């Protein structure tokens, strides 16, 4: 396994999002910061809201440009690509994959180099996950009830994101 | 239909399956599936609790030639017997789509026969007409692992999307619910089987979008609710699993029925007094008997006829691509050899 260039603990912050609107607001703030080459890794179990977060982010970028395009779950298709103005955004969902060797065919290297990558189930990438990245962990509060919309969110910025994540 | 029989090779490589088929349409309307081959990694995937996709374009490359040769061999028509080649040109994983489409182009060029680039969704939309001559227009509910849409099928190449999922597809909700409940894979049959001995009234799961205007779906919140209710149980016993599966299935059925009811009203508004309106259900989820029963009851109540292709044609296959090719070619529609593969391709655009 290659030596990780940023083995140290990343810059971290924790938030509680009360509802979907708060989640969407965070996603939109992050969306405004994104530029070509950025990688955002979305962690969380089934139903934690990874796709909802990604959708809110993508729609926050599409909205001002008047783009009316659906943002479906990429679980089945593995990847959905969006052209939003100058930004090429790739929404990956690696749920169906079992390991890094299956990710080569998805065009991830191209996305890392020439676009913005939002990655659900980034665990599957193993050592192929770029060192310079923002990690977002979505969790249910321990006391969560049914139809619970609150989420605990942890942001971890590696590489350039250690500084940039202060603006999120 | 054209004045002579049309024999078409269909190629499907847009997702996990490598598929090739030969289909023939006769001028008198008779339709034949001469061969229908699908290479699926299904059994090998069972341990993973999800489909491990044969995503590698090179996996399609390795198997497609042999699949096509076997399909033509089984059909007994020979290369010289082909009147055209129809290949999925999208939507799907771009690497796989390109492999199928380029192979189709090569065959079309070598044999000097027309190429038809087929929208995978159009394959599903027209698949019922391969089974029986359903007349246009009809209403289509497409429910699978990757798609969940209500469409008005007005004619070949003429589709109006009435609604679709705002988040997860219905089949995806089944797969993920099965995973959450520790049931097997694939999720659809596993949930249906578990639900047989279950009490659908035990867990009050939400019915997302129910009663809202329009024909859109949403299943993401339902999945999250299953997760919460499962986590709230001290221990997941077999009866809990059965009750949860039954409750989940009932919620999906309620949502599908409600959305289809809206679509039927819209369809009626658009087409007035169609004597025998038809609702076609296609896609792997259409195999679920409980959902089928709920839709049949709705159809009976609304004066619609329910039609569904057999399961083999509901899941991804190349026969439906070949058939869409026949429908298009019979209308004089074919494509130049420089058409591009498309990762995204909404049916109504």
């Amino acid at each position: 396994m290659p030596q990780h260039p940023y083995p140290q603990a990343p810059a971290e912050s924790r938030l509680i999002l009360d509802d979907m609107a708060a989640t969407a607001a965070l996603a939109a703030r992050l969306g405004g910061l994104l530029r070509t080459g950025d990688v955002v890794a979305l962690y969380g179990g089934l139903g934690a809201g990874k796709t909802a977060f990604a959708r809110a982010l993508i729609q926050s970028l599409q909205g001002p440009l008047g783009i009316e395009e659906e943002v479906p779950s990429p679980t089945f298709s593995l990847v959905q690509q969006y052209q939003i103005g100058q930004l090429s955004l790739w929404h990956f969902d690696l749920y169906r994959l079992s390991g890094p060797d299956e990710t080569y065919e998805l065009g991830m290297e191209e996305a890392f180099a020439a676009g913005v990558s939002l990655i659900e189930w980034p665990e599957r990438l193993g050592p192929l996950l770029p060192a310079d990245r923002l990690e977002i962990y979505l969790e249910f509060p321990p006391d969560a009830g049914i139809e619970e919309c609150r989420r605990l969110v942890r942001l971890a910025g590696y590489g350039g994101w250690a500084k940039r994540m202060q603006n999120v | 239909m054209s004045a002579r029989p049309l024999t078409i090779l269909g190629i499907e490589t847009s997702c996990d399956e490598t598929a090739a088929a030969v289909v023939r349409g006769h001028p008198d309307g008779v339709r034949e599936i001469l061969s229908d081959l699908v290479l699926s990694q299904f059994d090998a995937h069972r341990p993973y609790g999800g489909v491990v996709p044969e995503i590698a374009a090179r996996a399609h490359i390795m198997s497609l030639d042999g699949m096509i040769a076997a399909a033509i061999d089984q059909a007994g028509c020979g290369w010289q017997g082909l009147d055209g080649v129809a290949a999925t040109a999208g939507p799907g994983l771009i690497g796989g789509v390109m492999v199928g489409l380029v192979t189709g182009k090569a065959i079309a060029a070598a044999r000097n026969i027309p190429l038809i680039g087929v929208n995978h969704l159009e394959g599903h939309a027209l698949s019922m007409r391969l089974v029986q001559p359903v007349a246009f227009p009809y209403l289509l509910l497409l429910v699978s692992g990757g798609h969940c849409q209500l469409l008005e099928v007005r004619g070949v190449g003429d589709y109006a999307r009435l609604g679709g999922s705002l988040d997860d597809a219905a089949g995806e909700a089944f797969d993920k619910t099965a995973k959450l409940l520790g049931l097997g894979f694939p999720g659809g049959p596993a949930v249906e089987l578990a639900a047989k001995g279950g009490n659908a009234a035990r867990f009050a799961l939400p019915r997302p979008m129910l009663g809202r205007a329009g024909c859109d779906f949403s299943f993401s919140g339902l999945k999250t609710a299953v997760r919460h209710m499962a986590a709230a149980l001290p221990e997941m016993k077999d009866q809990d699993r059965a009750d949860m599966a039954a409750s989940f299935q009932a919620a999906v059925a309620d949502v599908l029925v409600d959305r289809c009811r809206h679509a039927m009203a819209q369809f009626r508004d658009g087409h007035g007094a169609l004597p025998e309106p038809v609702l076609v259900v296609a896609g792997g989820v259409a195999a679920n008997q409980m959902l089928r029963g709920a839709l049949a009851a709705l159809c009976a109540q609304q004066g619609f006829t329910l039609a569904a292709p057999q399961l083999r044609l509901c899941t991804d296959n190349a026969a439906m691509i070949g058939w869409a090719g026949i429908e298009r070619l019979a209308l004089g529609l074919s494509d130049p050899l420089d058409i591009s593969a498309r990762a995204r391709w909404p049916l109504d655009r």
Side-chain angles (χ1 to χ4, degrees):
Chain A
M1 190 166 300
Q3 181 63 41
H4 209 291
Y6 303 102
Q8 301 305 314
E12 276 198 18
S13 68
R14 287 162 198 272
L15 312 158
I16 295 175
L17 302 173
D18 280 331
D19 52 25
M20 194 52 221
T23 303
L26 175 68
R29 285 203 302 280
L30 173 59
L33 299 176
L34 293 177
R35 54 190 192 227
T36 295
D38 282 343
V39 174
V40 177
L42 290 162
Y43 294 85
L46 282 177
K50 299 178 296 299
T51 306
F53 184 92
R55 180 177 300 113
L57 191 158
I58 293 166
Q59 287 175 339
S60 77
L61 296 174
Q62 289 174 330
L65 298 180
I67 302 171
E68 285 184 38
E69 192 176 15
E70 286 184 27
V71 184
S73 161
T75 295
F76 183 76
S77 57
L78 300 168
V79 56
Q80 298 279 353
Q81 197 198 343
Y82 301 87
Q83 194 62 42
I84 309 171
Q86 294 300 308
L87 210 61
S88 176
L89 189 149
W90 302 58
H91 181 191
F92 294 98
D93 184 338
L94 310 182
Y95 177 73
R96 301 199 297 137
L97 306 185
S98 58
D101 55 327
E102 292 182 328
T103 63
Y104 284 110
E105 300 286 336
L106 289 179
M108 298 195 83
E109 286 161 343
E110 184 191 340
F112 294 158
V116 167
S117 305
L118 303 181
I119 310 170
E120 299 187 43
W121 300 96
E123 298 91 326
R124 308 282 200 266
L125 269 174
L128 299 182
L129 189 63
D132 197 330
R133 64 185 185 271
L134 178 66
E135 295 186 347
I136 300 179
Y137 294 81
L138 294 164
E139 282 170 33
F140 299 97
D143 60 338
I146 287 150
E147 300 197 37
E148 174 69 63
C149 290
R150 278 179 306 149
R151 292 293 185 273
L152 305 178
V153 179
R154 181 162 66 91
L155 302 177
Y158 292 81
W161 276 106
K163 210 169 222 136
R164 287 173 70 200
M165 65 170 269
Q166 293 163 4
N167 303 318
V168 178
Chain B
M1 207 42 67
S2 73
R4 63 190 174 89
L6 288 174
T7 306
I8 302 274
L9 170 69
I11 298 172
E12 160 62 38
T13 53
S14 65
C15 195
D16 303 344
E17 274 84 29
T18 310
V22 178
V23 189
R24 181 176 289 159
H26 293 269
D28 60 2
V30 171
R31 303 162 302 277
E32 289 179 272
I33 300 175
L34 301 179
S35 61
D36 177 17
L37 303 179
V38 179
L39 188 68
S40 178
Q41 307 295 316
F42 180 82
D43 285 329
H45 297 159
R46 200 182 285 271
Y48 298 99
V51 177
V52 177
E54 223 13 73
I55 55 163
R58 65 174 171 263
H60 286 300
I61 290 175
M62 284 190 314
S63 1
L64 187 57
D65 280 0
M67 294 290 286
I68 290 173
I72 288 175
D73 192 43
Q74 211 179 86
C77 60
W79 290 97
Q80 71 286 352
L82 294 177
D83 298 302
V85 52
T88 300
L93 272 174
I94 196 70
V97 174
M98 280 164 68
V99 169
L101 185 58
V102 168
T103 305
K105 286 177 182 180
I107 294 169
R111 300 296 317 167
N112 196 23
I113 51 177
L115 169 79
I116 306 103
V118 174
N119 182 315
H120 176 83
L121 300 172
E122 179 168 50
H124 281 298
L126 298 176
S127 62
M128 190 65 220
R129 286 165 54 85
L130 174 54
V131 182
Q132 66 187 66
V134 181
F136 299 123
Y138 54 85
L139 202 55
L140 172 75
L141 172 65
L142 176 56
V143 270
S144 67
H147 304 286
C148 189
Q149 311 188 352
L150 272 161
L151 294 151
E152 201 176 293
V153 182
R154 295 170 175 162
V156 176
D158 187 4
Y159 310 92
R161 197 167 176 282
L162 303 179
S165 180
L166 302 176
D167 39 59
D168 299 357
E172 179 180 347
F174 268 93
D175 275 339
K176 289 186 172 170
T177 292
K179 179 97 175 173
L180 287 166
L181 298 182
L183 298 168
F185 177 82
V191 169
E192 185 173 17
L193 187 66
K196 283 217 166 83
N199 171 10
R202 176 164 162 210
F203 296 101
L205 292 167
R207 266 68 173 159
M209 310 299 285
L210 201 74
R212 285 224 222 149
C215 304
D216 285 335
F217 302 87
S218 164
F219 291 107
S220 173
L222 182 55
K223 165 189 73 191
T224 303
V226 168
R227 187 220 162 265
H228 279 301
M229 288 196 186
L233 293 170
E235 183 193 356
M236 179 75 77
K237 300 207 180 81
D238 280 352
Q239 191 57 48
D240 299 322
R241 274 194 196 91
D243 294 346
M244 188 73 83
S247 301
F248 166 80
Q249 203 170 246
V252 173
D254 283 354
V255 171
L256 290 180
V257 163
D258 179 76
R259 307 283 84 193
C260 284
R261 187 185 293 118
H262 283 230
M264 286 169 169
Q266 275 192 10
F267 185 78
R268 278 230 174 73
D269 285 348
H271 298 284
L274 213 60
E276 289 176 42
V278 175
L279 170 68
V280 173
V281 187
V285 179
N288 184 297
Q289 292 301 314
M290 187 266 172
L291 296 180
R292 227 181 241 224
L295 291 169
L298 172 72
C299 282
Q301 181 197 69
Q302 300 285 326
F304 272 66
T305 302
L306 181 67
Q310 56 268 43
L311 182 61
R312 171 119 186 118
L313 283 175
C314 276
T315 51
D316 286 353
N317 66 87
M320 70 178 190
I321 302 302
W323 174 252
I326 289 180
E327 295 249 42
R328 296 191 79 88
L329 197 58
L331 296 173
L333 301 169
S334 65
D335 295 290
L337 289 180
D338 63 353
I339 59 161
S340 306
R342 296 170 69 174
R344 313 191 90 199
W345 187 2
L347 198 44
D348 54 353
R349 262 173 266 169

